[in-house]
Amino acid sequence: TQLLEQSPQFLSIQEGENLTVYCNSSSVFSSLQWYRQEPGEGPVLLVTVVTGGEVKKLKRLTFQFGDARKDSSLHITAAQPGDTGLYLCAGRSNDYKLSFGAGTTVTVRA
Amino acid sequence: EAGVTQFPSHSVIEKGQTVTLRCDPISGHDNLYWYRRVMGKEIKFLLHFVKESKQDESGMPNNRFLAERTGGTYSTLKVQPAELEDSGVYFCASSQETGGSEQYFGPGTRLTVT
């Protein structure tokens, strides 16, 4: 079983602040994905990172894949209440099977 | 285009009863996956269909779980008999291709076994 550990488990910040969520593993993944899940819905893919050291930006969200392809981070700049949700990382070691972290619940207060 | 749909959204059953969950993938998606999240734990892979064939069922907890995808369209996941530890949220996902293709998730079915 490939274990992905996310930290922190919960994060509550004020609107306008920055936040970082971490995803760490002892295993190497061929790619790593970040999802966001809202109550009553399934996870929705935000980004896929493939290359070690890769950095991807999606508006105010910055995703980084570690050089060794074992860890990743999600950084949100100037968080807004609409960023509130459950953020999940998932590693892909073969063509299809996803191994998920337990998730980070982010709350952005107005 | 309709997304992945799951039915029911919630199910509450007693221990020992049978429950059948249904998943309708996105039209044209040959790949269908079942995942489960039990309380406080991460989402875990259960199994993977390509069309009507089971490609990988390594994540199925035990033989009380039976997944089918007759005709390669919708899929059902039956739990018989249900146990307390089966409670959780069951997600279905589908993708167009197997390798590296994005998996689109349904809203999940919340199963509570009392």
Side-chain angles (χ1 to χ4, degrees), chain A residues 37 42 45 92 95-97 102, chain B residues 37 56 58 98 101 103 106:
Chain A
Q37 184 181 1
L45 181 66
R92 194 173 228 162
D95 281 345
Y96 56 86
K97 193 182 297 186
Chain B
R37 180 175 186 145
D56 182 350
S58 61
T98 302
S101 184
Q103 296 181 21

Side-chain angles (χ1 to χ4, degrees), chain A residues 3 33 35 37 40-43 45 86 88 92 95-103, chain B residues 33 35 37 41-43 45 48 55-56 58 91 98-103 105-107:
Chain A
L3 192 62
Q33 302 181 325
Y35 290 80
Q37 184 181 1
E41 298 180 7
L45 181 66
L86 175 66
L88 299 159
R92 194 173 228 162
D95 281 345
Y96 56 86
K97 193 182 297 186
L98 294 173
S99 298
F100 281 89
Chain B
Y33 315 81
Y35 292 85
R37 180 175 186 145
K41 302 275 189 177
E42 68 275 14
I43 297 172
F45 168 85
H48 169 218
Q55 288 295 110
D56 182 350
S58 61
F91 291 103
T98 302
S101 184
E102 178 178 352
Q103 296 181 21
F105 283 79

Side-chain angles (χ1 to χ4, degrees), chain A residues 40, chain B residues 4-13 18-24 34 74-79 88-92 106-112:
Chain B
V4 177
T5 57
Q6 293 187 243
F7 183 83
S9 57
H10 293 85
S11 180
V12 181
I13 61 171
T18 298
V19 64
T20 300
L21 314 181
R22 173 170 170 145
C23 168
D24 285 79
W34 283 98
Y74 71 90
S75 173
T76 58
L77 179 64
K78 182 161 71 173
V79 186
V89 182
Y90 290 76
F91 291 103
C92 174
T109 293
R110 180 174 295 278
L111 173 66
T112 303

Side-chain angles (χ1 to χ4, degrees), chain A residues 1-72:
Chain A
T1 302
Q2 294 172 309
L3 192 62
L4 274 164
E5 294 190 4
Q6 281 188 244
S7 62
Q9 188 177 357
F10 299 96
L11 194 54
S12 180
I13 60 171
Q14 200 69 33
E15 181 178 4
E17 293 181 338
N18 301 333
L19 69 96
T20 303
V21 177
Y22 299 94
C23 178
N24 296 298
S25 174
S26 57
S27 302
V28 176
F29 292 101
S30 58
S31 67
L32 195 136
Q33 302 181 325
W34 284 93
Y35 290 80
R36 183 174 153 206
Q37 184 181 1
E38 298 195 44
E41 298 180 7
V44 176
L45 181 66
L46 295 174
V47 77
T48 300
V49 285
V50 178
T51 307
E54 183 177 2
V55 177
K56 278 192 175 177
K57 292 195 174 183
L58 188 66
K59 296 183 181 177
R60 292 175 296 98
L61 278 61
T62 302
F63 304 86
Q64 206 158 5
F65 200 15
D67 290 341
R69 305 210 314 275
K70 293 183 180 180
D71 54 85
S72 181

